[in-house]
Amino acid sequence: MKLLNQSLKYLSVSIFFIISLWTVVFYFIMLNEIKESVDEGLENYKRQIVYKSQKDTSILNQHTFKEGFFAITAIEESEAITIKDRCIDTLIYMQDADDIELELEPVRMLTTAFENNGRYYKLKIINPMVEEDDLIAELLWQAVWLYLILLLSIIVINNLVLQRLWKPFYDFLQQLKSYRVGSNSNLPEVKTKTKEFTDLQIAVNTLLGHNLETYNQQKQFIGNASHELQTPLAIAINKLELLLENEGLADNQAESIVEVMNIIERLVRLNKSLLLLTKIENKQFLDNQSISMNKVVDDNFDDLYDLAAFKHVKLNKQQSFELVVEMDSALANIIIANLLRNAIFHNVNNGFVLVDISENVIKVSNSGKNEALNADKIFTRFYKSNNEQSNTGLGLAIVKAICVLYGFTISYQFVNNQHQFELRFNNC
């Protein structure tokens, strides 16, 4: 979820709780204000009734609320002394214009006592109140509308104002996504005067500068190592070959020279594999293009035919899909060649290798030892299932590195006495 939407979500939830709390508080405040206003009106009615009763004694004969909004009852002096002005909420039967019969309605009642010509009376005055359920419903709908209006306003502000404010950040983020060390000469740039974004650009570009410097140093080291190691090893092999041509060598001396040559040749292969693995991990192979994996498999079948015949291994292929992958052509060839060489080298006499090409998947199956390999270790560097000295132990590690580079998936399983390596092209 984008940062803008995250802020909108949290802001909406916060406003919802704030408005809910505000509605409750406002309800009690407004109800209290209404009661205070009604109480003041009742006090005013009280003074008018007491004053009129002194002029017109007939008012003292109104004993129930059926005749008006007040009722007067004669009481003893002792009782009158104990009565203090008091306003309460109560219910009485009333009939509004839209009511068919009497209904209980909420009222505010003032109870007081007064003296008229030496006699004492209890006075009750009522004033209809707004029904609380109506008040609550009205407040609820007002709160809902307020929330919706605020939410709509926030969305509009978010899309028109905040989105424009965050645009430099997303532009900068897109530049970072497309930036490749060694491929881009210009560092990502954010075009804004916002301090936080410019600080982010400085921090990111500083880090990219360090990475670029390290990348160039590694690239230079790889080039130097390739030249400095390969040349003396090749010279050593040539001198040993010349020494073998000397007819005065004894048989045991010739055998020793051959062993040394085999060790040096193994060093050459190991050096090439390590340099290749380092280049892959440093992403120096990124000349991506559309590659037909079917053709890559066919080309490797042709290249490895003699090796398979020498090992007495039969190469087979079945395909149900024309698999095209976006990747570097050299790496596409390396990943298939290493899988096929691994299947041929670790096979048995009169064995087989089967390559099955389906949608987004290449599966390489081969006969071999009737036991499963260690699936947790076979893709690690220098792991060997046997002690064969000619094997560098880097073939499957290189395959794994290429898969990590492109987001592919490589897996191993032992099924029906067959060793199966499944290469899944997730991004195709």
Side-chain angles (χ1 to χ4, degrees):
M1 183 181 291
K2 286 187 175 182
L3 185 60
L4 286 174
N5 296 331
Q6 286 274 22
S7 62
L8 178 62
K9 180 181 71 173
Y10 291 122
L11 191 59
S12 302
V13 173
S14 301
I15 289 178
F16 173 78
F17 284 108
I18 291 173
I19 291 180
S20 299
L21 179 61
W22 169 84
T23 304
V24 174
V25 174
F26 183 73
Y27 165 76
F28 285 106
I29 292 176
M30 188 168 69
L31 190 61
N32 185 62
E33 288 293 329
I34 292 174
K35 288 182 178 180
E36 288 182 358
S37 176
V38 171
D39 291 348
E40 290 178 0
L42 291 173
E43 287 288 341
N44 184 54
Y45 289 150
K46 166 195 164 183
R47 288 190 293 271
Q48 293 181 20
I49 292 171
V50 172
Y51 176 77
K52 288 181 179 180
S53 67
Q54 294 175 351
K55 303 294 184 180
D56 182 7
T57 57
S58 62
I59 294 176
L60 301 175
N61 297 324
Q62 185 171 322
H63 303 310
T64 65
F65 294 111
K66 293 181 180 180
E67 301 174 14
F69 63 92
F70 65 92
I72 300 176
T73 308
I75 59 175
E76 298 295 329
E77 180 181 359
S78 58
E79 182 181 353
I81 295 174
T82 62
I83 296 177
K84 295 182 179 180
D85 289 2
R86 184 167 65 102
C87 294
I88 61 171
D89 293 325
T90 185
L91 297 172
I92 65 170
Y93 282 98
M94 300 178 64
Q95 186 173 9
D96 295 334
D98 56 347
D99 293 336
I100 300 177
E101 55 186 21
L102 293 175
E103 293 182 356
L104 282 174
E105 298 289 348
V107 296
R108 188 76 170 168
M109 178 184 292
L110 169 64
T111 302
T112 186
F114 69 95
E115 181 265 337
N116 188 327
N117 295 324
R119 301 187 65 181
Y120 293 90
Y121 300 90
K122 180 167 67 173
L123 172 63
K124 293 182 179 180
I125 309 172
I126 61 172
N127 192 16
M129 289 284 293
V130 178
E131 295 188 18
E132 291 190 19
D133 54 349
D134 293 340
L135 180 61
I136 292 173
E138 183 65 23
L139 274 176
L140 175 62
W141 281 111
Q142 292 298 327
V144 168
W145 282 112
L146 176 62
Y147 176 75
L148 293 177
I149 292 172
L150 287 176
L151 185 61
L152 181 62
S153 302
I154 291 171
I155 292 175
V156 172
I157 294 173
N158 183 74
N159 289 332
L160 296 181
V161 179
L162 295 183
Q163 199 169 44
R164 183 176 180 181
L165 177 66
W166 281 92
K167 187 177 184 300
F169 171 79
Y170 289 112
D171 292 341
F172 184 66
L173 185 62
Q174 186 61 40
Q175 293 180 58
L176 285 177
K177 288 181 180 179
S178 59
Y179 184 82
R180 294 292 181 270
V181 176
S183 300
N184 301 76
S185 57
N186 297 325
L187 294 176
E189 180 183 3
V190 56
K191 298 179 180 179
T192 181
K193 294 181 180 179
T194 305
K195 184 177 183 302
E196 286 76 9
F197 293 161
T198 55
D199 289 346
L200 176 64
Q201 175 187 335
I202 293 172
V204 170
N205 287 349
T206 301
L207 181 60
L208 288 177
H210 292 322
N211 289 340
L212 187 59
E213 182 180 354
T214 303
Y215 170 80
N216 290 328
Q217 290 174 353
Q218 289 181 344
K219 187 176 180 181
Q220 184 178 4
F221 167 77
I222 292 171
N224 293 338
S226 177
H227 179 268
E228 298 296 333
L229 289 176
Q230 294 293 91
T231 302
L233 289 175
I235 293 173
I237 291 175
N238 290 334
K239 288 186 176 295
L240 289 174
E241 288 176 347
L242 292 174
L243 188 58
L244 280 176
E245 295 178 0
N246 190 342
E247 297 179 355
L249 289 175
D251 292 341
N252 59 345
Q253 292 175 327
E255 291 176 358
S256 298
I257 293 174
V258 171
E259 290 178 2
V260 173
M261 288 181 62
N262 290 335
I263 293 173
I264 295 176
E265 289 176 351
R266 182 168 175 267
L267 284 174
V268 171
R269 292 194 300 272
L270 182 61
N271 180 58
K272 288 181 178 180
S273 297
L274 284 173
L275 292 175
L276 174 62
L277 191 57
T278 304
K279 288 182 178 180
I280 293 171
E281 292 176 343
N282 287 338
K283 300 181 180 180
Q284 292 178 233
F285 292 91
L286 283 175
D287 183 19
N288 294 339
Q289 51 187 293
S290 297
I291 304 297
S292 171
M293 299 306 293
N294 303 64
K295 185 176 185 305
V296 173
V297 171
D298 290 337
D299 293 342
N300 277 276
F301 267 31
D302 294 338
D303 296 339
L304 298 173
Y305 177 80
D306 293 336
L307 176 61
F310 177 76
K311 291 281 190 177
H312 302 289
V313 173
K314 186 177 182 181
L315 299 178
N316 300 294
K317 183 186 75 168
Q318 60 185 29
Q319 55 186 2
S320 59
F321 188 81
E322 182 64 29
L323 182 55
V324 178
V325 180
E326 287 289 329
M327 65 181 301
D328 188 277
S329 59
L331 295 186
N333 183 73
I334 289 171
I335 199 172
I336 297 300
N338 283 8
L339 286 175
L340 290 178
R341 287 178 181 275
N342 180 76
I344 294 172
F345 277 124
H346 299 282
N347 218 306
V348 293
N349 197 25
N350 295 322
F352 70 91
V353 173
L354 173 62
V355 178
D356 183 10
I357 304 175
S358 57
E359 186 174 1
N360 295 339
V361 175
I362 294 179
K363 183 183 292 184
V364 179
S365 306
N366 65 275
S367 54
K369 290 185 178 181
N370 194 18
E371 60 181 43
L373 303 176
N374 190 330
D376 296 328
K377 295 183 178 180
I378 55 176
F379 296 107
T380 58
R381 298 184 185 187
F382 305 112
Y383 173 77
K384 301 178 184 179
S385 59
N386 52 44
N387 295 323
E388 186 178 351
Q389 295 299 318
S390 61
N391 183 14
T392 63
L394 291 173
L396 292 179
I398 292 174
V399 171
K400 180 69 174 180
I402 297 173
C403 290
V404 171
L405 177 64
Y406 284 100
F408 303 155
T409 302
I410 183 70
S411 60
Y412 164 81
Q413 57 183 347
F414 185 67
V415 181
N416 297 328
N417 296 326
Q418 295 180 17
H419 300 274
Q420 295 181 354
F421 288 86
E422 183 179 276
L423 179 59
R424 185 172 294 275
F425 301 90
N426 301 320
N427 300 330
C428 297

